[in-house]
Amino acid sequence: MEGGAVFGPSRSVVMDVVILLGAPGSGKGTVAGRLVETVKGFSTVSSGALLRAAIKDKTAAGIEAEGYMSRGELVPDTLIAAMIDDYLAVHSAGEGILALDGFPRTVPQARMLDGILKKHGVKLRRAILLDVSERVLLFRLGGRRICPKCSAGYHISTIPPKKEGICDVCGTALAIRADDTPETIANRLKVYQEQTAPLVDWYTAAGVLLRTHADGASDEIAGEIAAAI
Ligand code: AMP
């Protein structure tokens, strides 16, 4: 693991935020899940999961977002920033670390996040890049399954459910995400390189970037991150 600026011992007297950066399939959600299980006071919110819930609930934001998501494009910056702002309005009180999985994804979103964090009195502790080779990204995305009810994530060979095709948590039949088709995957990887990868330089310049080589097992990666934050 390579670090940027070095911070002192953790200071969980207020809510701190860490950003999880990485291409689709880099394991942001899986690693965040491991951190929630192993680090006291750790929680996470996924921008993609917020959007999928909004689509399911047919909210105005969900109806607007659906077309972008099905094409593998990013939804408008202001739409997703408003959802994160609303989330923090409810969840920023108290102590601990909140991992933002999938937000920000563009430089304008990073600027918006600065304002949102200030508004809610939340500090940015780290931006963590999960650096994964393209071969592993394609393998992970190709075998990914999701629970449509509780959003638990699986992989057919590396994170299989106990009973094939059924969610361990809530017993619902697992599904392939609507945007995990080969064409949409290719577009999402392109969009990542063009619009999200510039955030690596952005957060390096801010002195908060932590780069993790994340081709390996999620437990090990989560352990490295837990030790570093
Ligand atoms: P994810 O679950 O993180 O893979 O996100 C799934 C899809 O939701 C993405 O391909 C985008 O269409 C949309 N999305 C999620 N987060 C963002 C974001 N921060 N900005 C724009 N679109 C997003």
Side-chain angles (χ1 to χ4, degrees), residues 18-37:
V18 298
I19 293 166
L20 296 178
L21 275 179
S26 58
K28 299 184 294 294
T30 307
V31 167
R34 296 286 172 272
L35 286 164
V36 169
E37 286 164 9

Side-chain angles (χ1 to χ4, degrees), residues 24-25 28 46-49 51-52 65 68-77 80-81 84 101-106 109 141 144 177 179-180 184 188 191:
K28 299 184 294 294
S46 151
S47 52
L51 288 162
R52 283 185 287 279
Y68 295 98
M69 289 176 74
S70 66
R71 293 188 296 272
E73 295 167 10
L74 297 183
V75 307
D77 292 331
I80 186 64
I84 296 292
D101 161 4
F103 183 89
R105 252 176 160 102
T106 64
Q109 287 182 20
L141 289 166
R144 182 154 76 174
R177 261 173 53 170
D179 57 354
D180 275 347
T184 314
R188 285 159 61 213
V191 165

Side-chain angles (χ1 to χ4, degrees), residues 1-3 5 7-8 125-126 128 210 212 222-229:
M1 177 167 312
E2 299 155 22
F7 290 80
R125 192 184 285 205
R126 288 287 205 186
I128 300 159
L210 194 72
T212 61
E224 278 185 43
I225 293 171
I229 58 172

Side-chain angles (χ1 to χ4, degrees), residues 80-99:
I80 186 64
M83 290 177 97
I84 296 292
D85 189 7
D86 288 350
Y87 186 89
L88 279 173
V90 177
H91 294 91
S92 62
E95 300 180 8
I97 301 177
L98 172 68

